[in-house]
């Protein structure tokens, strides 16, 4: 039977052909059976760079007698490109350099066929060619560079992070991919485990405040770290994170500050800050005052931005009272790490010495305010009271007093500038102003002229200097049918002065009416009085108004009294004593004229007025004409004529009717003033005639015809001026200039007798020779 075998070079084959054939004892003849040995897996080394192609192996069939009748065929991955076969000998060569990292193995199929007929002589047989690895790839850190963080003061051996390198070589063949890690930079602070790549701390008490960042270089080497292996490196940046391992510390144990005595509470005195090199919450410092004689005078707060302790004034200080204070301030960490408690205490103390500086202070009044009293109507110069201020400074400068005018605009008071005595400048009226609120200013002399003010309230004491009067001045209305003894009014009084305790008003009738027979008065002894009627039979026709004078006494000291008149009006009332009318007009009207009659009279008057108005309106109404005539033209045309006329023989002058209505002469009514829609060009030959033209009548008529027919011409009320006097006039020319130049025998001497108003005219025409000479000069000019 036929079979196919593969012959390989001894240095490529895992088992040589001789070893296979040496299957029995030495000298024993072996009987080969078809496919009796393994040949389907072979190797070729990668990255071979020799000058000749690499021999992979050889195909051979038992039916091959060596005469060239058998043809070997190779197919599969890389057949014909990477792997080629000699179809006669069956030798297989690799024509290209192979890279295991690109493709680790190739699957091929071999077959022997008849060269002439291509008939298969052996069934197809599949085999594998593996690329044998060599160490041609160094290790790589795919994720570098690395960044790691570890707390400061960590124990030795604390894990920082793990780095891992990869090797593209075959990990199953040899040591090409067996990696070993080592540290090239970063000792003695850190170490790395050779097999795992875990980085750990190698020194104790690494302090972030001393050094925060470390640059570590890690190396990974293949071949188990032996010589000849390839290596790769990466950088690891390790940062120490902060822990609260430092207590706060004041740079100074004693701080000196000062404050002026003129500072107000709330103002800043000074600042201090405890240093803590820790970060964030670990470096926060809280401050508080714990001791000192200034705890009641000063307060402490913390600036949220700068984290400084701010000392502020709590109460005003006085240089003359106490000149220095002492405070003790404590700064502490609010967040303490229990791991480092033994390193404490996490607080510090400092002493603050505050000195009070003297300031030029304004004078100080002995009292915060003053209240004085003065009687009204007191004479000018009356003493009201005294204010006193003193300079609290060491210099104790003298003080001057004054009243700011804006507090005493009308200048009722004055103050002595040296002793502070306040006096009046004129009598005061309590009823006009009961209280005067003024201010007095005290200014020190010799200092910075600082001043201070104090309120002075002055009460004007009342003096009984006003007479009482009725509380109201209303009239008393009394019915005609009032019964005797009836109280018609109860009067009361008021007084601008203050009423003393148990003081009341007393009322009485004036002496001149004390014995009248109409009314009487009863004092009720409660500052009121009742008015009684003594008789009946009052009549409005007889007397409609009664004036009753009443004396009112205020019983003050001194006593003041006045006489006030009570007006009593008599009214008509119904049976229930309801007042109907208190006016006298009904009695003026004729007797027997009722209200209905009055209404009828008024109605007749209104009707007559309406008829008159209607008649006048009808007489004024006129029918509007359909055509607007010249005398009713709303434009109120003004016709101006400057024509002197040509005399009786001037038959070519204008007709007066035509001049009054130029358009009416042509047979059409006045036109409305509208803007023409079309613009007509000026007709040739319509220009002004030459200056020497004699036919002025034709010129005027032509211009009039053009104006009437031209829609662009101005309205008919435009002014047309023609300086033509006409021909053949017996009156001759009226021009004064022409009369001067004529040989006239007129005598103008009579102008001398016309008076001074005609003196100028008499001088011009009084002498004939002079006039003629003047005319000649005018012509020459």
């Amino acid at each position: 039977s036929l079979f196919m075998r593969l012959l390989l070079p001894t240095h490529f084959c895992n088992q040589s052909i001789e070893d296979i054939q040496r299957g029995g004892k030495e000298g024993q003849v072996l009987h080969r059976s078809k496919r009796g040995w393994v040949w389907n897996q072979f190797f070729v080394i990668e990255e071979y760079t020799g000058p000749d192609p690499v021999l992979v192996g050889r195909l051979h069939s038992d039916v091959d007698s060596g005469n060239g009748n058998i043809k070997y065929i190779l197919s599969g991955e890389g057949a014909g490109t990477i792997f080629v076969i000699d179809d006669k000998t069956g030798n297989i060569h690799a024509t290209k350099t192979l890279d295991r990292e690109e493709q680790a193995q190739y699957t091929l199929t071999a077959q022997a066929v008849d060269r002439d007929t291509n008939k298969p002589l052996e069934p197809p047989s599949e085999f594998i060619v593996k690329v044998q690895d060599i160490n041609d790839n160094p290790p790589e850190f795919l994720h570098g560079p690395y960044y790691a963080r570890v707390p400061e003061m960590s124990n030795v051996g604390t894990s920082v992070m793990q780095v891992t390198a990869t090797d593209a070589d075959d990990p199953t063949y040899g040591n090409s991919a067996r990696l070993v890690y080592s540290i090239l930079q970063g000792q003695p602070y850190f170490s790395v485990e050779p097999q795992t790549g875990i980085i750990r701390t190698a020194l104790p008490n690494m302090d972030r405040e001393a050094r925060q960042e470390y640059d570590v270089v890690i190396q990974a080497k293949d071949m188990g770290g032996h010589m000849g292996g390839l290596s790769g490196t990466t950088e690891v940046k390790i940062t120490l994170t902060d822990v609260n391992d430092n207590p706060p510390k004041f740079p100074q144990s004693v701080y000196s500050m000062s404050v002026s005595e003129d500072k107000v509470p709330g103002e800043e005195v000074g600042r201090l800050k405890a240093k803590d090199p820790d970060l964030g919450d670990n470096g926060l410092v809280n401050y508080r005052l714990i001791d000192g004689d200034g705890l009641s005078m000063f307060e402490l707060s913390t600036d949220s931005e700068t984290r400084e302790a701010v000392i502020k004034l709590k109460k005003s200080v006085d240089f003359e009272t106490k000149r220095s204070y002492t405070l003790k301030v404590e700064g502490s960490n609010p967040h303490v790490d229990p791991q480092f408690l033994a390193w404490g205490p996490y607080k510090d103390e400092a002493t603050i010495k505050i000195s009070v500086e003297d300031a030029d202070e304004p004078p100080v009044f002995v009292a915060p305010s003053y209240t004085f009293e003065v009687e009204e109507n007191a004479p000018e110069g009356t003493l009201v009271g005294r204010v006193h201020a003193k300079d609290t400074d060491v210099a104790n400068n003298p003080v001057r007093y004054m009243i700011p005018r804006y507090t005493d605009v009308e200048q009722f008071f004055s103050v002595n500038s040296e002793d502070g005595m306040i006096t009046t400048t004129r009598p005061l009226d309590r009823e006009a102003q009961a209280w005067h609120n003024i201010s007095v200013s005290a200014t020190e002399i010799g200092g910075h002229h600082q001043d201070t003010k104090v309120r002075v309230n002055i009460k004007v004491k009342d003096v009984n200097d006003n007479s009482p009067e009725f509380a109201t001045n209303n009239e008393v209305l009394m019915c005609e049918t009032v019964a005797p003894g009836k109280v018609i009014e109860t009067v009361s009084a008021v007084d601008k002065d203050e009423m003393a305790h148990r003081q009341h008003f007393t009322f009485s009738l004036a002496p001149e009416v004390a014995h009248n027979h109409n009314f009487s008065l009863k004092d009720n002894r409660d500052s009121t009085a009742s008015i009684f009627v003594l008789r009946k039979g009052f009549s409005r026709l007889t007397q409609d108004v009664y004036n009753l004078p009443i004396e009112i006494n205020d019983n003050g000291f001194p006593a003041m009294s006045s006489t006030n008149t009570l007006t009593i009006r008599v009214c008509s009332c119904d049976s229930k004593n309801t007042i109907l009318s208190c006016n006298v007009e009904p009695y003026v009207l004729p007797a027997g004229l009722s209200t209905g009659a009055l209404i009828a009279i008024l109605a007749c008057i209104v009707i007559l007025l309406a008829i008159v108005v209607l008649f006048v309106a009808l007489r004024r109404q006129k029918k509007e004409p359909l055509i607007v005539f010249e005398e009713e033209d709303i434009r109120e045309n003004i016709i101006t004529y400057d024509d002197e006329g040509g005399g009786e023989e001037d038959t070519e002058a204008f007709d007066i009717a035509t001049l009054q209505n130029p358009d009416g002469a042509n047979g059409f009514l006045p036109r409305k003033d509208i803007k023409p829609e079309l613009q007509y060009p000026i007709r040739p030959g319509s220009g002004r005639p030459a200056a020497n033209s004699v036919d002025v009548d034709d010129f005027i008529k032509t211009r009039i015809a053009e104006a009437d027919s031209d829609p662009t011409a101005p309205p008919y009320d435009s002014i047309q001026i023609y300086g033509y006097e006409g021909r053949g006039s017996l009156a001759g020319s009226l021009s004064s200039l022409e009369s001067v130049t004529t040989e006239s025998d007129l005598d103008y001497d009579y102008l001398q007798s016309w008076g001074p108003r005609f003196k100028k005219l008499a001088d011009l025409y009084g002498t004939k020779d002079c006039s003629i000479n003047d005319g000649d000069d005018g012509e020459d000019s």
Side-chain angles (χ1 to χ4, degrees):
S1 62
L2 300 175
F3 70 94
M4 182 178 66
R5 61 182 178 179
L6 181 63
L7 298 179
L8 296 177
T10 56
H11 60 279
F12 287 119
C13 188
N14 292 335
Q15 187 177 16
S16 65
I17 299 175
E18 289 79 0
D19 293 335
I20 296 174
Q21 292 176 347
R22 198 182 298 119
K25 295 182 179 180
E26 191 72 26
Q28 183 180 357
V29 178
L30 296 178
H31 299 278
R32 292 182 303 175
S33 60
K34 190 177 182 180
R35 313 296 185 195
W37 56 291
V38 179
W39 64 278
N40 61 346
Q41 182 170 319
F42 307 99
F43 296 88
V44 59
I45 192 169
E46 69 170 333
E47 303 295 346
Y48 177 75
T49 58
D52 300 324
V54 179
L55 177 61
V56 178
R58 179 183 178 188
L59 293 177
H60 184 73
S61 176
D62 289 342
V63 299
D64 187 2
S65 58
N67 54 5
N69 294 327
I70 296 178
K71 179 181 180 181
Y72 296 97
I73 299 175
L74 185 65
S75 62
E77 293 179 322
T81 56
I82 299 176
F83 302 100
V84 295
I85 187 172
D86 189 338
D87 59 356
K88 294 181 179 179
T89 63
N91 292 334
I92 301 175
H93 291 81
T95 61
K96 295 183 179 179
T97 301
L98 302 181
D99 187 358
R100 190 200 65 84
E101 286 71 34
E102 292 184 2
Q103 187 166 347
Q105 66 181 19
Y106 299 85
T107 301
L108 300 172
T109 301
Q111 190 175 18
V113 298
D114 186 271
R115 185 176 296 274
D116 296 330
T117 63
N118 285 331
K119 181 179 179 181
L121 301 178
E122 294 283 352
S125 181
E126 186 178 276
F127 63 97
I128 296 174
V129 177
K130 286 189 174 183
V131 181
Q132 189 175 6
D133 183 45
I134 63 173
N135 189 19
D136 58 344
N137 291 280
E140 293 182 355
F141 292 91
L142 301 179
H143 303 290
Y146 298 88
Y147 298 89
R149 299 164 66 89
V150 63
E152 63 174 333
M153 300 297 173
S154 296
N155 297 326
V156 176
T158 300
S159 175
V160 179
M161 72 174 303
Q162 182 179 13
V163 294
T164 302
T166 59
D167 195 321
D169 292 327
D170 189 0
T172 63
Y173 180 76
N175 295 326
S176 298
R178 190 163 69 90
L179 306 180
V180 174
Y181 299 93
S182 61
I183 184 168
L184 300 183
Q185 178 181 321
Q187 294 174 332
Y189 307 103
F190 300 95
S191 62
V192 62
E193 294 183 357
Q195 305 302 326
T196 62
I198 297 176
I199 302 174
R200 299 181 183 274
T201 58
L203 280 182
N205 300 331
M206 286 193 293
D207 191 3
R208 184 200 64 82
E209 288 72 31
R211 182 177 178 182
Q212 184 175 358
E213 293 184 350
Y214 296 84
D215 293 326
V216 178
V217 178
I218 303 297
Q219 174 185 266
K221 190 174 183 180
D222 59 13
M223 298 299 291
H226 293 90
M227 185 177 296
L230 302 178
S231 64
T233 60
T234 187
E235 292 184 1
V236 182
K237 185 179 289 294
I238 301 176
T239 302
L240 298 183
T241 58
D242 184 62
V243 297
N244 191 8
D245 58 339
N246 294 281
K249 182 69 177 177
F250 286 103
Q252 302 171 219
S253 59
V254 178
Y255 291 84
S256 296
M257 300 179 183
S258 62
V259 60
S260 178
E261 63 176 339
D262 60 354
K263 297 295 183 181
V264 298
E267 290 196 37
E268 181 178 322
V269 177
R271 295 185 174 213
L272 69 160
K273 184 178 182 180
K275 304 295 183 181
D276 192 330
D278 295 324
L279 301 177
D281 292 342
N282 297 324
L284 288 179
V285 180
N286 290 343
Y287 304 94
R288 65 188 183 101
L289 297 176
I290 58 176
D291 196 9
D293 59 356
L295 291 178
S296 61
M297 306 300 295
F298 301 92
E299 59 185 359
L300 184 147
S301 62
T302 302
D303 191 318
S304 60
E305 294 183 0
T306 62
R307 304 305 303 174
E308 293 176 310
V310 182
I311 307 299
K312 294 183 178 180
L313 192 62
K314 187 177 182 180
K315 296 181 180 179
S316 297
V317 293
D318 186 11
F319 174 80
E320 289 73 25
T321 304
K322 187 176 177 59
R323 302 190 178 184
S324 64
Y325 296 89
T326 301
L327 295 173
K328 183 173 287 188
V329 62
E330 178 189 83
S332 60
N333 288 139
H335 306 287
V336 179
D337 193 337
Q339 183 180 353
F340 303 101
L341 280 176
W343 296 23
Y346 287 87
K347 60 184 179 179
D348 192 21
E349 297 178 356
T351 301
I352 304 175
K353 294 184 177 180
I354 303 176
S355 60
V356 180
E357 297 179 347
D358 187 22
D360 187 12
E361 298 176 291
V364 176
F365 282 93
V366 176
S369 63
Y370 294 87
T371 301
F372 302 123
E373 293 183 351
V374 62
E375 288 188 354
E376 69 173 329
N377 301 323
E380 176 186 352
T382 301
L383 177 64
V384 178
R386 180 187 179 187
V387 296
H388 180 63
K390 61 181 180 178
D391 183 13
T392 59
D393 295 327
V394 177
N396 194 18
N397 293 319
V399 177
R400 294 292 180 264
Y401 304 92
M402 64 171 292
I403 298 176
R405 288 300 93 191
Y406 66 88
T407 64
D408 184 20
V409 177
E410 299 185 19
Q411 301 183 11
F412 289 109
F413 306 95
S414 64
V415 62
N416 189 294
S417 62
E418 295 182 358
D419 58 11
M421 293 291 185
I422 301 175
T423 57
T424 61
T425 60
R426 59 177 177 270
L428 306 177
D429 185 5
R430 190 202 69 86
E431 288 71 37
Q433 188 172 348
W435 283 87
H436 294 267
N437 300 318
I438 65 174
S439 295
V440 176
S441 173
T443 305
E444 62 175 309
I445 301 176
H448 292 83
H449 301 287
Q450 298 190 77
D451 66 338
T452 185
K453 297 180 179 61
V454 69
R455 173 60 66 88
V456 179
N457 303 314
I458 301 174
K459 179 182 179 181
V460 182
K461 298 173 62 178
D462 184 46
V463 174
N464 193 25
D465 58 346
N466 290 278
S467 301
E469 57 187 13
F470 280 143
T472 60
N473 292 321
N474 296 332
E475 291 183 342
V476 178
L477 303 180
M478 181 185 70
C479 293
E480 291 177 318
T481 58
V482 63
K486 181 177 177 59
V487 178
I488 61 174
E489 182 69 10
T490 299
V491 295
S492 59
V494 292
D495 195 332
K496 295 180 180 179
D497 296 320
E498 292 181 345
M499 298 293 291
H501 183 60
R502 294 184 179 180
Q503 180 183 354
H504 63 276
F505 299 107
T506 58
F507 300 85
S508 63
L509 294 178
E512 61 268 22
V513 295
H515 303 288
N516 76 92
H517 303 288
N518 298 320
F519 306 98
S520 67
L521 181 147
K522 178 185 178 183
D523 192 336
N524 297 325
R525 299 184 180 278
D526 59 353
S527 296
T528 64
S530 300
I531 308 299
F532 292 88
V533 178
L534 295 178
R535 67 176 180 87
K536 63 179 180 178
F538 289 95
S539 173
R540 296 170 64 194
L541 296 177
T542 305
Q543 185 175 353
D544 61 337
V545 175
Y546 293 88
N547 294 321
L548 184 66
I550 299 175
E551 286 188 357
I552 308 175
N553 193 302
D554 61 4
N555 298 308
F557 182 80
M560 300 291 293
S561 62
S562 65
T563 300
N564 296 264
T565 301
L566 181 66
T567 302
I568 303 173
R569 184 174 294 277
V570 180
C571 302
S572 62
C573 304
D574 57 10
S575 59
K576 297 181 180 180
N577 292 327
T578 300
I579 296 176
L580 298 177
S581 175
C582 295
N583 298 324
V584 299
E585 286 78 1
Y587 297 95
V588 178
L589 296 175
L593 191 60
S594 64
T595 304
L598 290 175
I599 295 175
I601 293 174
L602 291 176
C604 293
I605 293 174
V606 170
I607 293 173
L608 290 175
L609 289 176
I611 293 173
V612 171
V613 170
L614 181 59
F615 179 75
V616 172
L618 292 175
R619 287 294 301 271
R620 288 186 177 182
Q621 184 176 2
K622 296 172 66 179
K623 181 179 295 185
E624 293 294 330
L626 299 178
I627 300 176
V628 179
F629 294 95
E630 57 275 1
E631 62 271 19
E632 297 176 355
D633 195 342
I634 61 174
R635 289 174 295 181
E636 299 181 1
N637 303 324
I638 300 176
I639 308 298
T640 302
Y641 308 104
D642 286 342
D643 188 6
E644 297 182 359
E648 292 80 4
E649 297 181 4
D650 185 9
T651 59
E652 298 177 358
F654 292 115
D655 189 292
I656 189 64
T658 304
L659 291 176
Q660 290 179 350
N661 186 13
D663 295 325
N666 295 332
F668 59 87
L669 294 175
R671 64 183 179 184
K672 300 297 182 180
D673 291 337
I674 59 174
K675 183 178 179 180
E677 298 181 355
L678 299 178
Q679 299 292 335
Y680 293 88
I682 300 177
R683 291 176 295 178
S686 61
R688 189 179 300 274
N692 55 2
S693 177
V694 180
D695 192 3
V696 179
D697 293 341
D698 296 336
F699 164 74
I700 294 175
K701 292 179 179 180
T702 301
R703 295 303 298 247
I704 292 175
E706 289 177 0
D708 292 339
S709 61
D710 188 3
T712 62
Y716 67 89
D717 57 355
S718 61
I719 300 175
Q720 301 286 344
I721 300 174
Y722 305 101
Y724 176 62
E725 298 182 358
R727 291 177 299 186
S729 175
L730 296 178
S733 175
L734 298 178
S735 172
S736 60
L737 294 177
E738 184 178 354
S739 63
V740 173
T741 59
T742 56
E743 297 293 336
S744 176
D745 294 334
L746 295 177
D747 185 9
Y748 297 99
D749 293 338
Y750 63 89
L751 295 176
Q752 300 291 339
S753 62
W754 283 16
R757 298 182 61 183
F758 295 91
K759 183 177 183 305
K760 184 66 175 177
L761 189 62
D763 292 342
L764 292 175
Y765 295 96
T767 303
K768 182 177 180 180
D769 296 338
C770 181
S771 300
I772 296 173
N773 293 335
D774 292 343
D776 295 339
D777 295 339
E779 290 178 355
D780 293 339
S781 61

